[in-house]
Amino acid sequence: MPASVRRGPLRISYRATPTGARVLFAVPKSVGTAVVRNRARRRVREALRELAGDGTIVLADGEYRLGISSSLEGLSAAELRTTLGALLGDIR
């Protein structure tokens, strides 16, 4: 299993821990102002909720560090869900 995978504007790193699944977000200041960074974080969080809600993904116990780059703004919600689903599929 790869420890880190990058796909488009997203990068995910995984570390196994016995404490349950936890997702950490890393959005650098180069992405934009606090408003832009928070919007990106909210969009990715919502995409994760949708993927988990319809059973597309089930996160194993561990820490998932999700890095977001500035090109996220150009993705639609459907493209973001597809990219995130493929990324999580690659890390498992």
Side-chain angles (χ1 to χ4, degrees), residues 31-88:
V31 170
T33 63
V35 172
V36 174
R37 293 191 309 269
N38 288 332
R39 183 182 311 126
R41 199 175 293 119
R42 283 192 309 268
R43 288 186 66 204
V44 172
R45 195 176 295 131
E46 181 59 26
L48 277 171
R49 274 190 204 109
E50 290 174 3
L51 289 171
D54 66 11
T56 304
I57 62 164
V58 176
L59 296 178
D61 288 351
E63 288 183 352
Y64 298 84
R65 183 178 180 271
L66 191 56
I68 303 170
S69 73
S70 61
S71 58
L72 180 71
E73 288 294 315
L75 292 179
S76 69
E79 291 171 328
L80 179 57
R81 277 191 306 274
T82 302
T83 303
L84 188 57
L87 187 68
L88 288 168

Side-chain angles (χ1 to χ4, degrees), residues 6-41:
R6 181 179 191 96
R7 214 178 253 268
L10 301 173
R11 179 184 183 94
I12 193 164
S13 300
Y14 173 76
R15 186 177 72 157
T17 61
T19 59
R22 191 166 100 169
V23 180
L24 311 167
F25 295 94
V27 188
K29 286 187 176 182
S30 62
V31 170
T33 63
V35 172
V36 174
R37 293 191 309 269
N38 288 332
R39 183 182 311 126
R41 199 175 293 119

